Amino acid sequence: MSAPELPDDVSADYVNEPVETAHATLIEAPNYDRLAAFLNTLREGYLFVDVTGAPKNSKKQGIRIRTTRSTKGQLVLPLFTSMEALRLAQAPSSGRKGVDPKGVLTPALEALRMIRTDRFIAAQINPGPGELVILRKYIERVIDGDEMTPELLASLK
């Protein structure tokens, strides 16, 4: 079985620049306008899913994604805007020594839909410094195609 072909403008060096820009803007000065812009951008392009340590040819279980846990032990889905962001999360300073990071480049909406595969409470965008944790209720709205507005976000508090 051959790997699926990527569009010409997408490679292993892909960076979801619109999401990274909206992410940085939101972190710089959080407000509902910037959160809405970030969430609307999040459904575009591609995201990387961490499959580091997953069995290579496990037909029985399919691709296994690496997950994290909240401080209360609840599942969190880590997603990355680039392979470089995934590598930074796997760096020795993160406590994972000798691990060769592996990621799967996935259309953004498909990556976000993975939140529905288990009891995830949130998605974590670019874990590490500057990470952003988005509760499942917001991710579900993005997946469903809802236009995220500051007014909607304020009502979902």
Side-chain angles (χ1 to χ4, degrees), residues 110-129:
E110 189 176 321
L112 293 172
R113 282 187 191 106
M114 289 180 187
I115 206 163
R116 294 176 171 168
T117 64
D118 210 331
R119 294 170 293 186
F120 291 103
I121 61 157
Q124 185 179 23
I125 310 301
N126 288 345

Side-chain angles (χ1 to χ4, degrees), residues 78-132:
L79 298 171
F80 302 86
T81 56
S82 68
M83 194 59 199
E84 184 59 30
L86 193 154
R87 284 187 196 100
L88 287 173
Q90 297 286 335
S93 63
S94 71
R96 296 183 178 164
K97 297 179 182 174
V99 176
D100 184 24
K102 292 180 179 60
V104 174
L105 184 61
T106 309
L109 276 175
E110 189 176 321
L112 293 172
R113 282 187 191 106
M114 289 180 187
I115 206 163
R116 294 176 171 168
T117 64
D118 210 331
R119 294 170 293 186
F120 291 103
I121 61 157
Q124 185 179 23
I125 310 301
N126 288 345
E131 70 187 21
L132 190 58

Side-chain angles (χ1 to χ4, degrees), residues 67-70 73-77 114-122 136:
T67 61
T68 58
R69 297 223 176 236
S70 71
Q74 298 162 304
L75 281 175
V76 177
L77 176 65
M114 289 180 187
I115 206 163
R116 294 176 171 168
T117 64
D118 210 331
R119 294 170 293 186
F120 291 103
I121 61 157
R136 183 180 183 137

